[in-house]
Amino acid sequence: MEREDLLDVYRHSLAHILAKAVIEIFGKENVQYAIGPEVSDGLYYDFVLPRAITKDDFPEIEEKMHEIIKRRESWLRQEINRADALEMFKDQRFKTELIQDLPEDETLTIYYTGDDFVDLCRGPHVDNSQELLSAAFQVKSASGSYWRGDEHNEQLQRIYVYAFPDKQQLKDHLKLIQEAMERDHKKLGQQLELFMFDETAPGMPYWLPRGWRLYNTLMDFSRGLQDEYGYQEICAPVFNNRKLYLISGHWAHYQNNMFVVPELERDENGKILLDDNGSFKMKPVEEADIYSAKPMNCPNAMIVFKSQVRSYRDLPLRLSENNVLHRKEKSGQLNGLLRVQEFRQDDDHTFVMESQIEEEIGKIFELTDKIYSTLGLSYRAELSTRPEDFMGDIETWNNAEAALKNILDNKYGHGGYEINEGDGAFYGPKIDLQMKDALGREWQCGTIQLDFQLPHNFELKYTAPDGSLKQPIVIHRALYGSFERFIAVIIENFKGAFPFWLSPTQVAVVPIKTEHNDYAEEICNLLRANRIRYEVDYEDKNMNAKIKTFKNFKTPYIIVVGGQEAENRTVSINVRGSNQQLRDVPLDTFLDMCDLMNEEKSLELLTEVPAEFNN
């Protein structure tokens, strides 16, 4: 058995131990137990219990689990028919429902842990609890969940447990979790004053001045590179008539995730009419002019392409767009910047001839490498294929998937990438880019999608060299993906200590006393002229308090100026992450250092004056 499979058996067996422990603590008559699978770092089990589980219960649960393991009980697997299973679990409503959903002739398996606990399970499991004696586990949390993940079903309590083969691996994982908590973008976003949320617009971030500078720096970086590759930026309406989405297919395939604005009944003066219950009166659907906030940019790009007569000489035509998108999410799924309802994407829709697909996607990978490597990030590619609710014909899908497989085979070698069967977009297969951060975690951000369907739906044509009309193919491409999600990832990757070129505030200026404000203002004017982002504190207050404030914002350079600096036209520099201070650096030299780091997009700060600047 593979090591990974052994770990799954180990964790799944511990899930049964958890269930048995909870039953022994609360009494069998008081516990309904649902399901308990293994997960990537442990396991969980869902229950209905007589009261809510709190942190105070965690030590007792862990102690009971250890006690059960030390009994060295044997595990017995038995096959059982449906009728006997229903009788055995007649007092357990969740197990009963699972059994009833299976075919009547299905042979089921159950597992005994000792003589007093039995669970409905496919297995496999350990043969005896003594195999778990070296188990290293810790209760992680208790939270709410819904039976079968459906919010309309009964609410359960889910107990999560971290579980690893030995204490060192558990210790390492807990250290990683602690580090991840310290990097949490929601916590750092508040500390660094980057963004905020308000209940008046759930899942729609307010970008604060520092955060918006970060946002625009990322956008400008992307725009600059795209300009080198011949992209042209457009901006299309945020609200569109549903007619657009009927053509694109989003109305049929994506309506549940769209913010729809129905047309309301009004009187002759334009006042909205109410019904007898005080609710808005809506026009009948067949008469209404219904609009929706756009969830994707692609339908608008099709309209732009169609607005002119196009020739093969125009292709590839690269239309980029960084517009606002809205997608409706369930409130429980919102998660800081990682899952929002309003966001932007660094979208592009490139219109190509079939013969241009491979070369164009090769250039997209070039661009991807430049963006990610500049940020010190690595990535890998995954191919997602035709979903169940696909649009179009099978042959077209097969051709699209074959084209992407060929591209990935050439780049990574056959089998050098993962294939996610059935995870493509409804209009075409895609390549997802999985980005790895400083903690080794992977995040799906960028995507490259091949689309034969939307050009067909919108009846797009270009004039071929022989004068005939041909249908273009569209490559959908986003490399950051959602700016919001990407920023969340890099906040956590850099722990809020961004490289100089990316930092919202690159330099903080601290005059020691108010009489040094004139020199501080002169410095700020030069920083602004050199397009270096700065903040300054002219207030008549303690110098160390000013410095501490800017350190909390993780500002790369804090320059302190007093009478000596003003007289000599120098600066003293506190370097982020370093206890040393660079003293008596000529102001012009410091500006040159900042310009160099901006130009080179350095990941590291200069902690001393480069030798060439001393000449």
Side-chain angles (χ1 to χ4, degrees), residues 48 102 227 261 322 334:
V48 172
L102 296 171
D227 189 55
V261 183
N322 297 299
L334 299 176

Side-chain angles (χ1 to χ4, degrees), residues 236-266:
V238 174
F239 278 85
N240 294 274
N241 193 289
R242 68 169 173 159
K243 296 173 184 175
L244 179 70
Y245 303 117
L246 285 169
I247 298 171
S248 69
H250 287 90
W251 196 257
H253 294 266
Y254 210 75
Q255 189 181 140
N256 291 342
N257 293 94
M258 296 169 70
F259 283 93
V260 178
V261 183
E263 188 174 9
L264 304 178
E265 292 276 14
R266 298 173 183 267

Side-chain angles (χ1 to χ4, degrees), residues 191-193 210 496 535 549-555:
Q191 175 190 328
L192 303 178
E193 295 184 8
R210 289 187 178 92
E535 292 184 44
T549 298
F550 288 123
K551 280 187 175 180
N552 287 339
F553 288 134
K554 300 182 183 285
T555 310

Side-chain angles (χ1 to χ4, degrees), residues 535-595:
E535 292 184 44
V536 60
D537 190 339
Y538 292 121
E539 294 294 316
D540 184 13
K541 57 186 181 185
N542 183 271
M543 174 191 71
N544 289 327
K546 296 181 186 181
I547 292 173
K548 183 178 179 181
T549 298
F550 288 123
K551 280 187 175 180
N552 287 339
F553 288 134
K554 300 182 183 285
T555 310
Y557 290 129
I558 302 171
I559 59 177
V560 181
V561 293
Q564 181 177 330
E565 285 82 10
E567 182 179 348
N568 297 328
R569 292 189 59 77
T570 60
V571 292
S572 294
I573 309 166
N574 291 312
V575 181
R576 183 184 66 202
S578 172
N579 292 324
Q580 71 184 79
Q581 187 180 60
L582 301 180
R583 296 184 179 277
D584 302 321
V585 178
L587 177 55
D588 289 344
T589 298
F590 176 66
L591 295 173
D592 288 340
M593 290 168 61
C594 294
D595 288 341

Side-chain angles (χ1 to χ4, degrees), residues 480-544:
Y480 291 144
S482 154
F483 276 92
E484 280 67 14
R485 180 178 175 83
F486 192 83
I487 288 173
V489 173
I490 63 171
I491 288 172
E492 298 193 4
N493 180 67
F494 291 114
K495 208 172 182 176
F498 301 106
F500 181 85
W501 70 271
L502 188 58
S503 291
T505 301
Q506 298 172 301
V507 177
V509 182
V510 175
I512 296 174
K513 297 181 179 178
T514 53
E515 56 260 38
H516 307 130
N517 284 355
D518 287 346
Y519 182 51
E521 184 177 3
E522 182 182 347
I523 292 171
C524 292
N525 289 337
L526 288 169
L527 291 170
R528 183 169 57 252
N530 282 267
R531 301 181 68 81
I532 298 165
R533 298 182 293 279
Y534 70 90
E535 292 184 44
V536 60
D537 190 339
Y538 292 121
E539 294 294 316
D540 184 13
K541 57 186 181 185
N542 183 271
M543 174 191 71
N544 289 327

Side-chain angles (χ1 to χ4, degrees), residues 280-350:
F280 294 132
K281 292 184 70 174
M282 289 184 284
K283 277 191 175 182
V285 172
E286 60 273 11
E287 300 175 16
D289 221 11
I290 298 173
Y291 281 75
S292 170
K294 67 177 177 180
M296 299 178 183
N297 289 312
C298 37
N300 298 96
M302 306 302 128
I303 296 296
V304 172
F305 182 93
K306 197 172 182 178
S307 67
Q308 297 180 26
V309 175
R310 306 289 182 179
S311 162
Y312 72 95
R313 295 186 181 88
D314 300 321
L315 307 183
L317 178 63
R318 307 175 184 95
L319 299 179
S320 68
E321 185 170 7
N322 297 299
N323 216 340
V324 178
L325 302 176
H326 291 83
R327 294 182 188 173
K328 191 167 182 60
E329 303 282 359
K330 295 178 181 178
S331 60
Q333 295 177 323
L334 299 176
N335 180 16
L337 297 178
L338 291 171
R339 195 70 175 264
V340 291
Q341 297 195 118
E342 180 194 77
F343 61 99
R344 288 172 175 80
Q345 287 189 165
D346 63 329
D347 264 341
D348 168 72
H349 298 92
T350 294

Side-chain angles (χ1 to χ4, degrees), residues 365 379-385 404 408 412 417-420 423 430-434 442 444 447-448:
F365 273 115
Y379 72 93
R380 63 179 180 82
E382 294 182 350
L383 175 62
S384 297
T385 59
L404 291 184
L408 290 174
Y412 296 106
Y417 54 92
E418 286 189 25
I419 298 180
N420 298 321
D423 202 34
K430 60 178 180 172
I431 298 171
D432 288 326
L433 306 179
Q434 301 287 348
E442 288 195 330
Q444 198 276 301
T447 185
I448 304 166

